[in-house]
Amino acid sequence: MMTDNFRIANNPWLTHLLFWAGYLLVYTGVHVDGDNSLWSYFLVELQGLPTAMLVAYVNVYVLFSRFFVNRKYFLYCISAVALLFCASLANRTLMEKYIEPVFYPDTTHPDSIFIWYMLLKGMLWFLSPVLLLTLAIQIFKQWFIQEKQQQEIIKEKLSAELNFLKAQVHPHFLFNTLNNLYALTLEASPRAPKVVLKLSELMSYMLYDSQSESTMLHKEIDHMYTYIELEKLRYSDRLEVSLNVSGETTHQKIAPLLLIPFVENAFKHGVSNETDQVWVTIDIKLKAGWLFVKVENSHTEALFDTDTGQHKGGIGLFNVKRRLELLYPDAYELEARKEPWRYIVDLKLKLN
Amino acid sequence: MTKIKCLIVDDEPLAAGILEKYIGQLDSLELVFKCDNAIDALLFLQSNKVDLLFLDIQMPKLSGLDFLRTLSKRPKVILTTAFRDYAVEGFELNVLDYLVKPVPFERFLTAINKYHFSNGTALSLPPIISNTNLGISSEAFIYLKADKKMVKVFLKDILYIESLKDYVRVKTVEKEIVTYQRITYLEEKLPDEKFLRIHRSFLISIDKIRSFNAAFIEIGSIELPIGRQYKAEVMSTLTAQE
């Protein structure tokens, strides 16, 4: 955890030990006035140590974490005063019943525990600084942790965005398309203008629409069409693609560029590595708030050596999985499977 | 019919050329002037009548938007730019439309339509070129594994699918394929508009239904039972189809 930073050498015992040693030294230093030896003052402070520790630990582990953290400040104040009183009482008892009779039988005489001004002095003069100091430490610690978490979140967001960018820009795809376009313009093909418009649509969606947190599902699907049409240029008749959309997709929102990696994956692994006739089928269905996406593509390996049939998928799918976890926690099922002759990616996603 | 007088202001000759070509393709439009900066446009507008102005935003010396602000009496304006970021500002200046480059001809037509609409004139536009897909099969299909090969099956050929536990029998118009697959997977995969689960064991193609009553659906040459738990949905789907 992040509390590590509050420990010396990452050892809680050593930290606490040093804290109390420091406490004793400071208190001795504050009270010393030259009438008696430094040692005797140190012993006096040492006698008060158990009570101080009682106040400190009850304050930190009970009162602070129960009341203060939960913003029950009034309860915290009441219980803090009660703690001070009880601790002061305990201190008096310790002094009168055990320490004085045992260690100073000659110089002291037994007194009643309930001497009010002594109790009050114990509360205010001796124990309340301990309480306030530990409270201050806890508040600082809490603030520090929150600050750190905040930074952690920002960092996470940034790296997610970076991954996001990585997922977006596929230079090889861009340059392949440009190369195809070059070929088309060389022969002044009437298809060239259409390809330029498609590429422009694709870039526009990737650069602008994907900036927002969510986009319309039909836009994401349009993007898929655009992507497939551009990919199709590379493979011409060797590749068969079926894209089938079912259900009312116009009013449903979805995180942008969430589905396209499945399609990219099918082309990257299934199509570009193969030499024979290849195919990709994409079936998207929206039904009662659930989105079903099934992407299948051909591959020629007949082997079925993987024992589970589970396929790890590329880095692209890994990123999607992470995004799904961040965006739709516990609202999705994703399965990628490699069967003889085909890959299947099966996604079920609950949208809002 | 009087033609709509158009003016193109764009500092990039190729971009202006595209618009000029588009304008030339429509009988209702007439290009009266073309210039590469706002100053020339200003001078032209002082002595000539223009109905529709195609205006680029990023131009040297005077930007399209600043140029618009200086005009006291404006023609209808269509902004053309490669940047989307000016769209809001453009609409604040009450422009007719905002075209992001590259501009497809279809999009150009939509903008011209807006001009007609704002003038209340009837539109006489050529049919919009159909947005044919370059690569996607017009007939949806699936691939099924049968006898160590993958068999392509068009959705339109499927009659019904029968569940055989971990296998399914896909009955098409001309053949029958038994494949290792669960019927729920296919039910999720196939479009609801075309396929209907009528029984724990049967998923049917709606288009292939010959007749139905409360208990059976006749499809191809066979009668399939309607499962009790599917009955309500089957009936509401089938009666809504009529």
Side-chain angles (χ1 to χ4, degrees), chain B residues 33-70:
Chain B
F33 191 58
K34 185 174 88 170
C35 56
D36 62 2
N37 66 78
I39 314 292
D40 288 355
L42 208 56
L43 292 173
F44 182 80
L45 280 173
Q46 278 165 7
S47 49
N48 297 278
K49 184 181 175 296
V50 167
D51 301 311
L52 185 55
L53 170 63
F54 292 92
L55 182 63
D56 186 22
I57 293 181
Q58 296 81 30
M59 287 185 295
K61 285 186 265 188
L62 189 59
S63 90
L65 292 174
D66 291 335
F67 164 68
L68 268 190
R69 289 193 189 93
T70 62

mmCIF file of all heavy atoms in Angstrom, chain B residues 33-70:
data_model
loop_
_atom_site.group_PDB
_atom_site.id
_atom_site.type_symbol
_atom_site.label_atom_id
_atom_site.label_comp_id
_atom_site.label_asym_id
_atom_site.label_seq_id
_atom_site.Cartn_x
_atom_site.Cartn_y
_atom_site.Cartn_z
ATOM 1 N N PHE B 33 -17.926 33.460 -60.491
ATOM 2 C CA PHE B 33 -16.579 33.958 -60.239
ATOM 3 C C PHE B 33 -15.857 33.010 -59.283
ATOM 4 O O PHE B 33 -16.482 32.341 -58.450
ATOM 5 C CB PHE B 33 -16.659 35.370 -59.629
ATOM 6 C CG PHE B 33 -15.332 36.090 -59.563
ATOM 7 C CD1 PHE B 33 -14.586 36.326 -60.718
ATOM 8 C CD2 PHE B 33 -14.821 36.541 -58.344
ATOM 9 C CE1 PHE B 33 -13.366 36.997 -60.639
ATOM 10 C CE2 PHE B 33 -13.606 37.213 -58.277
ATOM 11 C CZ PHE B 33 -12.883 37.445 -59.439
ATOM 12 N N LYS B 34 -14.530 32.986 -59.465
ATOM 13 C CA LYS B 34 -13.712 32.130 -58.594
ATOM 14 C C LYS B 34 -12.470 32.924 -58.252
ATOM 15 O O LYS B 34 -11.842 33.492 -59.157
ATOM 16 C CB LYS B 34 -13.350 30.858 -59.362
ATOM 17 C CG LYS B 34 -12.613 29.818 -58.556
ATOM 18 C CD LYS B 34 -12.428 28.537 -59.354
ATOM 19 C CE LYS B 34 -11.154 28.580 -60.177
ATOM 20 N NZ LYS B 34 -10.792 27.284 -60.779
ATOM 21 N N CYS B 35 -12.134 33.029 -56.976
ATOM 22 C CA CYS B 35 -10.917 33.763 -56.644
ATOM 23 C C CYS B 35 -10.206 33.109 -55.474
ATOM 24 O O CYS B 35 -10.778 32.293 -54.758
ATOM 25 C CB CYS B 35 -11.238 35.225 -56.331
ATOM 26 S SG CYS B 35 -12.436 35.423 -55.025
ATOM 27 N N ASP B 36 -8.929 33.489 -55.278
ATOM 28 C CA ASP B 36 -8.147 32.792 -54.266
ATOM 29 C C ASP B 36 -7.915 33.637 -53.016
ATOM 30 O O ASP B 36 -7.093 33.282 -52.184
ATOM 31 C CB ASP B 36 -6.826 32.302 -54.864
ATOM 32 C CG ASP B 36 -5.960 33.464 -55.339
ATOM 33 O OD1 ASP B 36 -6.382 34.629 -55.164
ATOM 34 O OD2 ASP B 36 -4.876 33.195 -55.879
ATOM 35 N N ASN B 37 -8.609 34.758 -52.896
ATOM 36 C CA ASN B 37 -8.490 35.528 -51.642
ATOM 37 C C ASN B 37 -9.744 36.348 -51.383
ATOM 38 O O ASN B 37 -10.541 36.608 -52.291
ATOM 39 C CB ASN B 37 -7.260 36.428 -51.663
ATOM 40 C CG ASN B 37 -7.384 37.512 -52.713
ATOM 41 O OD1 ASN B 37 -8.084 38.510 -52.496
ATOM 42 N ND2 ASN B 37 -6.745 37.295 -53.851
ATOM 43 N N ALA B 38 -9.888 36.766 -50.152
ATOM 44 C CA ALA B 38 -11.119 37.423 -49.725
ATOM 45 C C ALA B 38 -11.251 38.831 -50.284
ATOM 46 O O ALA B 38 -12.357 39.324 -50.505
ATOM 47 C CB ALA B 38 -11.175 37.456 -48.191
ATOM 48 N N ILE B 39 -10.120 39.488 -50.528
ATOM 49 C CA ILE B 39 -10.164 40.873 -51.017
ATOM 50 C C ILE B 39 -10.830 40.929 -52.401
ATOM 51 O O ILE B 39 -11.730 41.743 -52.640
ATOM 52 C CB ILE B 39 -8.740 41.477 -51.107
ATOM 53 C CG1 ILE B 39 -7.942 41.161 -49.841
ATOM 54 C CG2 ILE B 39 -8.793 42.963 -51.387
ATOM 55 C CD1 ILE B 39 -8.405 41.841 -48.588
ATOM 56 N N ASP B 40 -10.373 40.027 -53.275
ATOM 57 C CA ASP B 40 -10.960 39.980 -54.618
ATOM 58 C C ASP B 40 -12.453 39.689 -54.539
ATOM 59 O O ASP B 40 -13.252 40.251 -55.294
ATOM 60 C CB ASP B 40 -10.287 38.897 -55.475
ATOM 61 C CG ASP B 40 -8.874 39.304 -55.874
ATOM 62 O OD1 ASP B 40 -8.493 40.456 -55.553
ATOM 63 O OD2 ASP B 40 -8.171 38.473 -56.475
ATOM 64 N N ALA B 41 -12.814 38.800 -53.610
ATOM 65 C CA ALA B 41 -14.222 38.447 -53.447
ATOM 66 C C ALA B 41 -15.037 39.654 -53.028
ATOM 67 O O ALA B 41 -16.138 39.893 -53.524
ATOM 68 C CB ALA B 41 -14.360 37.334 -52.409
ATOM 69 N N LEU B 42 -14.435 40.433 -52.115
ATOM 70 C CA LEU B 42 -15.102 41.645 -51.624
ATOM 71 C C LEU B 42 -15.384 42.612 -52.773
ATOM 72 O O LEU B 42 -16.488 43.137 -52.911
ATOM 73 C CB LEU B 42 -14.185 42.315 -50.581
ATOM 74 C CG LEU B 42 -14.823 43.157 -49.495
ATOM 75 C CD1 LEU B 42 -15.846 42.352 -48.716
ATOM 76 C CD2 LEU B 42 -13.739 43.680 -48.561
ATOM 77 N N LEU B 43 -14.350 42.811 -53.608
ATOM 78 C CA LEU B 43 -14.494 43.709 -54.759
ATOM 79 C C LEU B 43 -15.569 43.202 -55.710
ATOM 80 O O LEU B 43 -16.404 43.967 -56.194
ATOM 81 C CB LEU B 43 -13.155 43.842 -55.496
ATOM 82 C CG LEU B 43 -12.062 44.588 -54.726
ATOM 83 C CD1 LEU B 43 -10.729 44.513 -55.467
ATOM 84 C CD2 LEU B 43 -12.478 46.044 -54.500
ATOM 85 N N PHE B 44 -15.561 41.884 -55.924
ATOM 86 C CA PHE B 44 -16.541 41.308 -56.850
ATOM 87 C C PHE B 44 -17.959 41.477 -56.321
ATOM 88 O O PHE B 44 -18.880 41.836 -57.051
ATOM 89 C CB PHE B 44 -16.233 39.821 -57.073
ATOM 90 C CG PHE B 44 -17.160 39.159 -58.057
ATOM 91 C CD1 PHE B 44 -16.963 39.305 -59.432
ATOM 92 C CD2 PHE B 44 -18.258 38.410 -57.629
ATOM 93 C CE1 PHE B 44 -17.817 38.704 -60.338
ATOM 94 C CE2 PHE B 44 -19.117 37.811 -58.532
ATOM 95 C CZ PHE B 44 -18.886 37.960 -59.901
ATOM 96 N N LEU B 45 -18.119 41.259 -55.028
ATOM 97 C CA LEU B 45 -19.455 41.334 -54.427
ATOM 98 C C LEU B 45 -20.031 42.750 -54.468
ATOM 99 O O LEU B 45 -21.246 42.933 -54.477
ATOM 100 C CB LEU B 45 -19.413 40.846 -52.971
ATOM 101 C CG LEU B 45 -19.412 39.330 -52.778
ATOM 102 C CD1 LEU B 45 -19.195 38.985 -51.323
ATOM 103 C CD2 LEU B 45 -20.735 38.744 -53.262
ATOM 104 N N GLN B 46 -19.129 43.780 -54.481
ATOM 105 C CA GLN B 46 -19.614 45.161 -54.495
ATOM 106 C C GLN B 46 -20.372 45.494 -55.772
ATOM 107 O O GLN B 46 -21.251 46.340 -55.777
ATOM 108 C CB GLN B 46 -18.437 46.126 -54.308
ATOM 109 C CG GLN B 46 -18.074 46.281 -52.837
ATOM 110 C CD GLN B 46 -16.725 46.928 -52.640
ATOM 111 O OE1 GLN B 46 -16.096 47.390 -53.610
ATOM 112 N NE2 GLN B 46 -16.281 46.970 -51.405
ATOM 113 N N SER B 47 -20.003 44.833 -56.861
ATOM 114 C CA SER B 47 -20.627 45.204 -58.133
ATOM 115 C C SER B 47 -21.414 44.063 -58.788
ATOM 116 O O SER B 47 -21.914 44.223 -59.897
ATOM 117 C CB SER B 47 -19.546 45.714 -59.102
ATOM 118 O OG SER B 47 -18.488 44.791 -59.106
ATOM 119 N N ASN B 48 -21.478 42.889 -58.139
ATOM 120 C CA ASN B 48 -22.182 41.771 -58.751
ATOM 121 C C ASN B 48 -23.107 41.082 -57.754
ATOM 122 O O ASN B 48 -22.840 41.066 -56.553
ATOM 123 C CB ASN B 48 -21.187 40.726 -59.270
ATOM 124 C CG ASN B 48 -20.309 41.294 -60.362
ATOM 125 O OD1 ASN B 48 -20.691 41.358 -61.518
ATOM 126 N ND2 ASN B 48 -19.131 41.753 -59.954
ATOM 127 N N LYS B 49 -24.129 40.484 -58.293
ATOM 128 C CA LYS B 49 -25.068 39.757 -57.439
ATOM 129 C C LYS B 49 -24.633 38.289 -57.359
ATOM 130 O O LYS B 49 -24.350 37.654 -58.366
ATOM 131 C CB LYS B 49 -26.479 39.852 -58.021
ATOM 132 C CG LYS B 49 -27.518 39.188 -57.122
ATOM 133 C CD LYS B 49 -28.908 39.271 -57.743
ATOM 134 C CE LYS B 49 -29.928 38.508 -56.916
ATOM 135 N NZ LYS B 49 -29.679 37.100 -56.861
ATOM 136 N N VAL B 50 -24.561 37.801 -56.136
ATOM 137 C CA VAL B 50 -24.197 36.397 -55.909
ATOM 138 C C VAL B 50 -25.221 35.781 -54.965
ATOM 139 O O VAL B 50 -25.615 36.394 -53.978
ATOM 140 C CB VAL B 50 -22.776 36.295 -55.304
ATOM 141 C CG1 VAL B 50 -22.518 34.893 -54.765
ATOM 142 C CG2 VAL B 50 -21.729 36.665 -56.332
ATOM 143 N N ASP B 51 -25.678 34.549 -55.297
ATOM 144 C CA ASP B 51 -26.667 33.896 -54.433
ATOM 145 C C ASP B 51 -26.012 33.022 -53.372
ATOM 146 O O ASP B 51 -26.459 32.943 -52.243
ATOM 147 C CB ASP B 51 -27.595 33.003 -55.280
ATOM 148 C CG ASP B 51 -28.330 33.799 -56.336
ATOM 149 O OD1 ASP B 51 -28.905 34.846 -55.964
ATOM 150 O OD2 ASP B 51 -28.321 33.390 -57.504
ATOM 151 N N LEU B 52 -24.950 32.361 -53.808
ATOM 152 C CA LEU B 52 -24.374 31.344 -52.922
ATOM 153 C C LEU B 52 -22.856 31.456 -52.939
ATOM 154 O O LEU B 52 -22.232 31.454 -54.000
ATOM 155 C CB LEU B 52 -24.824 29.952 -53.406
ATOM 156 C CG LEU B 52 -24.437 28.738 -52.572
ATOM 157 C CD1 LEU B 52 -24.889 28.890 -51.139
ATOM 158 C CD2 LEU B 52 -25.031 27.482 -53.196
ATOM 159 N N LEU B 53 -22.304 31.572 -51.744
ATOM 160 C CA LEU B 53 -20.854 31.765 -51.610
ATOM 161 C C LEU B 53 -20.217 30.524 -50.986
ATOM 162 O O LEU B 53 -20.622 30.097 -49.898
ATOM 163 C CB LEU B 53 -20.609 33.000 -50.736
ATOM 164 C CG LEU B 53 -19.199 33.291 -50.246
ATOM 165 C CD1 LEU B 53 -18.251 33.568 -51.403
ATOM 166 C CD2 LEU B 53 -19.215 34.485 -49.282
ATOM 167 N N PHE B 54 -19.263 29.944 -51.687
ATOM 168 C CA PHE B 54 -18.473 28.843 -51.115
ATOM 169 C C PHE B 54 -17.186 29.446 -50.580
ATOM 170 O O PHE B 54 -16.387 29.990 -51.339
ATOM 171 C CB PHE B 54 -18.157 27.777 -52.172
ATOM 172 C CG PHE B 54 -19.363 27.028 -52.626
ATOM 173 C CD1 PHE B 54 -20.104 27.443 -53.729
ATOM 174 C CD2 PHE B 54 -19.784 25.889 -51.929
ATOM 175 C CE1 PHE B 54 -21.219 26.759 -54.134
ATOM 176 C CE2 PHE B 54 -20.906 25.199 -52.344
ATOM 177 C CZ PHE B 54 -21.628 25.630 -53.448
ATOM 178 N N LEU B 55 -16.994 29.356 -49.290
ATOM 179 C CA LEU B 55 -15.929 30.128 -48.658
ATOM 180 C C LEU B 55 -15.006 29.236 -47.836
ATOM 181 O O LEU B 55 -15.444 28.529 -46.921
ATOM 182 C CB LEU B 55 -16.570 31.204 -47.763
ATOM 183 C CG LEU B 55 -15.646 32.157 -47.032
ATOM 184 C CD1 LEU B 55 -14.846 32.998 -48.001
ATOM 185 C CD2 LEU B 55 -16.452 33.047 -46.104
ATOM 186 N N ASP B 56 -13.737 29.294 -48.153
ATOM 187 C CA ASP B 56 -12.726 28.612 -47.350
ATOM 188 C C ASP B 56 -12.445 29.456 -46.115
ATOM 189 O O ASP B 56 -12.618 30.678 -46.140
ATOM 190 C CB ASP B 56 -11.450 28.458 -48.196
ATOM 191 C CG ASP B 56 -10.397 27.633 -47.476
ATOM 192 O OD1 ASP B 56 -10.766 26.859 -46.567
ATOM 193 O OD2 ASP B 56 -9.210 27.768 -47.822
ATOM 194 N N ILE B 57 -12.054 28.831 -45.025
ATOM 195 C CA ILE B 57 -11.794 29.623 -43.815
ATOM 196 C C ILE B 57 -10.326 30.048 -43.720
ATOM 197 O O ILE B 57 -10.017 31.220 -43.552
ATOM 198 C CB ILE B 57 -12.230 28.845 -42.555
ATOM 199 C CG1 ILE B 57 -13.748 28.698 -42.552
ATOM 200 C CG2 ILE B 57 -11.790 29.589 -41.304
ATOM 201 C CD1 ILE B 57 -14.309 27.975 -41.363
ATOM 202 N N GLN B 58 -9.423 29.090 -43.845
ATOM 203 C CA GLN B 58 -8.002 29.441 -43.720
ATOM 204 C C GLN B 58 -7.480 29.974 -45.053
ATOM 205 O O GLN B 58 -7.269 29.212 -45.990
ATOM 206 C CB GLN B 58 -7.159 28.230 -43.319
ATOM 207 C CG GLN B 58 -7.480 27.656 -41.969
ATOM 208 C CD GLN B 58 -8.676 26.749 -42.024
ATOM 209 O OE1 GLN B 58 -8.952 26.114 -43.038
ATOM 210 N NE2 GLN B 58 -9.409 26.690 -40.932
ATOM 211 N N MET B 59 -7.294 31.297 -45.058
ATOM 212 C CA MET B 59 -6.704 31.904 -46.253
ATOM 213 C C MET B 59 -5.734 32.980 -45.799
ATOM 214 O O MET B 59 -5.910 33.576 -44.738
ATOM 215 C CB MET B 59 -7.802 32.536 -47.126
ATOM 216 C CG MET B 59 -8.652 31.503 -47.860
ATOM 217 S SD MET B 59 -9.806 32.278 -48.965
ATOM 218 C CE MET B 59 -10.859 33.146 -47.836
ATOM 219 N N PRO B 60 -4.701 33.241 -46.595
ATOM 220 C CA PRO B 60 -3.757 34.300 -46.217
ATOM 221 C C PRO B 60 -4.446 35.658 -46.178
ATOM 222 O O PRO B 60 -5.470 35.862 -46.813
ATOM 223 C CB PRO B 60 -2.695 34.226 -47.320
ATOM 224 C CG PRO B 60 -3.342 33.497 -48.453
ATOM 225 C CD PRO B 60 -4.335 32.572 -47.836
ATOM 226 N N LYS B 61 -3.863 36.573 -45.424
ATOM 227 C CA LYS B 61 -4.351 37.949 -45.252
ATOM 228 C C LYS B 61 -5.676 38.011 -44.501
ATOM 229 O O LYS B 61 -5.696 38.312 -43.308
ATOM 230 C CB LYS B 61 -4.453 38.677 -46.601
ATOM 231 C CG LYS B 61 -3.081 39.089 -47.150
ATOM 232 C CD LYS B 61 -3.195 39.924 -48.392
ATOM 233 C CE LYS B 61 -3.084 39.070 -49.609
ATOM 234 N NZ LYS B 61 -3.006 39.790 -50.880
ATOM 235 N N LEU B 62 -6.762 37.673 -45.161
ATOM 236 C CA LEU B 62 -8.062 37.797 -44.494
ATOM 237 C C LEU B 62 -8.729 36.417 -44.436
ATOM 238 O O LEU B 62 -8.950 35.794 -45.468
ATOM 239 C CB LEU B 62 -8.943 38.788 -45.292
ATOM 240 C CG LEU B 62 -10.261 39.214 -44.659
ATOM 241 C CD1 LEU B 62 -10.032 39.884 -43.315
ATOM 242 C CD2 LEU B 62 -10.997 40.167 -45.604
ATOM 243 N N SER B 63 -9.035 35.970 -43.222
ATOM 244 C CA SER B 63 -9.654 34.647 -43.111
ATOM 245 C C SER B 63 -11.109 34.709 -43.541
ATOM 246 O O SER B 63 -11.719 35.790 -43.568
ATOM 247 C CB SER B 63 -9.567 34.136 -41.682
ATOM 248 O OG SER B 63 -10.700 34.536 -40.947
ATOM 249 N N GLY B 64 -11.656 33.563 -43.886
ATOM 250 C CA GLY B 64 -13.037 33.487 -44.344
ATOM 251 C C GLY B 64 -14.011 34.059 -43.331
ATOM 252 O O GLY B 64 -14.943 34.789 -43.680
ATOM 253 N N LEU B 65 -13.774 33.740 -42.053
ATOM 254 C CA LEU B 65 -14.697 34.198 -41.018
ATOM 255 C C LEU B 65 -14.636 35.723 -40.851
ATOM 256 O O LEU B 65 -15.665 36.387 -40.742
ATOM 257 C CB LEU B 65 -14.382 33.504 -39.688
ATOM 258 C CG LEU B 65 -14.672 32.006 -39.663
ATOM 259 C CD1 LEU B 65 -14.185 31.382 -38.361
ATOM 260 C CD2 LEU B 65 -16.159 31.722 -39.844
ATOM 261 N N ASP B 66 -13.398 36.268 -40.876
ATOM 262 C CA ASP B 66 -13.263 37.726 -40.765
ATOM 263 C C ASP B 66 -13.897 38.421 -41.969
ATOM 264 O O ASP B 66 -14.539 39.460 -41.831
ATOM 265 C CB ASP B 66 -11.784 38.115 -40.662
ATOM 266 C CG ASP B 66 -11.209 37.661 -39.338
ATOM 267 O OD1 ASP B 66 -12.003 37.508 -38.387
ATOM 268 O OD2 ASP B 66 -9.984 37.450 -39.264
ATOM 269 N N PHE B 67 -13.706 37.814 -43.108
ATOM 270 C CA PHE B 67 -14.306 38.329 -44.336
ATOM 271 C C PHE B 67 -15.826 38.391 -44.203
ATOM 272 O O PHE B 67 -16.460 39.408 -44.526
ATOM 273 C CB PHE B 67 -13.876 37.437 -45.508
ATOM 274 C CG PHE B 67 -14.690 37.601 -46.758
ATOM 275 C CD1 PHE B 67 -14.637 38.767 -47.500
ATOM 276 C CD2 PHE B 67 -15.516 36.567 -47.205
ATOM 277 C CE1 PHE B 67 -15.381 38.904 -48.661
ATOM 278 C CE2 PHE B 67 -16.260 36.696 -48.351
ATOM 279 C CZ PHE B 67 -16.200 37.870 -49.085
ATOM 280 N N LEU B 68 -16.400 37.312 -43.654
ATOM 281 C CA LEU B 68 -17.852 37.267 -43.469
ATOM 282 C C LEU B 68 -18.330 38.396 -42.570
ATOM 283 O O LEU B 68 -19.362 39.015 -42.812
ATOM 284 C CB LEU B 68 -18.265 35.945 -42.839
ATOM 285 C CG LEU B 68 -18.654 34.799 -43.765
ATOM 286 C CD1 LEU B 68 -19.257 33.677 -42.948
ATOM 287 C CD2 LEU B 68 -19.645 35.264 -44.814
ATOM 288 N N ARG B 69 -17.549 38.675 -41.526
ATOM 289 C CA ARG B 69 -17.960 39.698 -40.567
ATOM 290 C C ARG B 69 -17.986 41.090 -41.220
ATOM 291 O O ARG B 69 -18.747 41.954 -40.795
ATOM 292 C CB ARG B 69 -17.032 39.700 -39.361
ATOM 293 C CG ARG B 69 -17.218 38.485 -38.469
ATOM 294 C CD ARG B 69 -16.533 38.627 -37.126
ATOM 295 N NE ARG B 69 -16.585 37.349 -36.412
ATOM 296 C CZ ARG B 69 -15.626 36.442 -36.462
ATOM 297 N NH1 ARG B 69 -14.529 36.663 -37.155
ATOM 298 N NH2 ARG B 69 -15.766 35.300 -35.805
ATOM 299 N N THR B 70 -17.117 41.291 -42.216
ATOM 300 C CA THR B 70 -17.074 42.608 -42.851
ATOM 301 C C THR B 70 -18.227 42.825 -43.816
ATOM 302 O O THR B 70 -18.540 43.957 -44.165
ATOM 303 C CB THR B 70 -15.760 42.811 -43.645
ATOM 304 O OG1 THR B 70 -15.725 41.824 -44.683
ATOM 305 C CG2 THR B 70 -14.534 42.662 -42.762
#
